[in-house]
Amino acid sequence: MERPSSGLRRGKWTQEEEAYVERVIRDFNGGLLDAAPGTTLRSYLSDKLNCDPMRITKKFTGDASIGKRVFHPRENASPAAVERSRREIAELEAIWRRKLEQQRREAEAADRKRRAADEPLTVSTGSTRRIRAWLARAKVALEAATTPAAIDAVLADGDRLRADVAAEGRAAGAARRRRRRTEET
């Protein structure tokens, strides 16, 4: 779920959210909720879901329209029925909030992965010099058409250089991740 700068939820409804809302609507209509008499269903849901009332209106259109339903507490509701309703709604809400937390964590992980992929590969100045020197040696060896043994030696140097630079890159990446984790805490 996206959160605009206002902090209100918006966007796609999860199955968990829909199950929670379905039960809230049922108990709202049954007069079993702890709500002030005269509260509209739209405002009650908007408050519980921390979203703009228009999100509620858009979700419940046509036959599912909630219109201007107003809460009327059921006078003859047994305390056990009210408590059962409260407990079951709280359970559905907890399931929905866990789903929101899971989505938040997944979005953060995807964002971290995207940022890491966008970071340029950093190579130290020393490695850059070594790479340039190796490229110059390789070019001379290839232009001079030296012996296969000389070309193999240059290629072996290149393999060692590649391994060194890769290890340096891994160490730099690990350092960046450690820095990011400390900045996030």
Side-chain angles (χ1 to χ4, degrees), residues 144-169:
T146 56
T147 67
I151 292 174
D152 286 343
V154 169
L155 290 175
D157 285 346
D159 285 341
R160 282 190 296 279
L161 178 59
R162 182 194 51 75
D164 290 349
V165 170
E168 181 181 306

Side-chain angles (χ1 to χ4, degrees), residues 1 5 13 19-20 38 57 80 83 91 99 105 117-119 131:
M1 275 301 137
S5 58
W13 290 64
Y20 169 59
T57 301
E83 178 57 26
E91 185 178 320
K99 179 66 172 185
R105 284 191 313 268
D118 290 344
E119 288 180 4
I131 291 168

Side-chain angles (χ1 to χ4, degrees), residues 16 18 36 41 43 48 67-68 70 75 99 118 122 137 142 159 169 176:
E16 294 80 2
E18 289 178 353
L41 179 54
S43 67
K48 291 295 182 182
K68 301 232 182 245
V70 176
E75 300 294 328
K99 179 66 172 185
D118 290 344
T122 53
R137 284 194 314 276
L142 291 172
D159 285 341
R176 279 192 304 271

Side-chain angles (χ1 to χ4, degrees), residues 19-178:
Y20 169 59
V21 167
E22 182 180 310
R23 180 57 189 262
V24 168
I25 291 172
R26 187 182 93 189
D27 288 356
F28 184 95
N29 291 335
L32 297 175
L33 298 180
D34 181 23
T39 303
T40 66
L41 179 54
R42 181 177 183 242
S43 67
Y44 187 83
L45 288 173
S46 172
D47 182 56
K48 291 295 182 182
L49 300 177
N50 188 34
C51 68
D52 190 288
M54 186 53 73
R55 182 171 183 257
I56 306 298
T57 301
K58 288 178 179 178
K59 177 70 175 174
F60 298 98
T61 59
D63 291 341
S65 177
I66 61 172
K68 301 232 182 245
R69 290 190 211 169
V70 176
F71 183 71
H72 300 290
R74 196 165 102 195
E75 300 294 328
N76 61 351
S78 73
V82 171
E83 178 57 26
R84 185 176 54 250
S85 167
R86 187 203 60 75
R87 196 174 48 254
E88 290 172 0
I89 286 175
E91 185 178 320
L92 288 168
E93 181 180 11
I95 292 168
W96 167 59
R97 293 202 182 276
R98 281 193 298 271
K99 179 66 172 185
L100 289 180
E101 181 60 24
Q102 175 190 355
Q103 287 177 328
R104 185 194 62 76
R105 284 191 313 268
E106 289 170 355
E108 284 179 357
D111 189 46
R112 280 192 304 274
K113 190 174 182 179
R114 196 171 28 261
R115 278 191 316 229
D118 290 344
E119 288 180 4
L121 174 62
T122 53
V123 178
S124 70
T125 306
S127 290
T128 302
R129 284 192 209 117
R130 289 174 53 207
I131 291 168
R132 285 186 180 140
W134 177 82
L135 286 171
R137 284 194 314 276
K139 182 179 178 184
V140 167
L142 291 172
E143 286 174 347
T146 56
T147 67
I151 292 174
D152 286 343
V154 169
L155 290 175
D157 285 346
D159 285 341
R160 282 190 296 279
L161 178 59
R162 182 194 51 75
D164 290 349
V165 170
E168 181 181 306
R170 284 191 299 276
R176 279 192 304 271
R177 286 188 294 279
R178 281 192 302 275

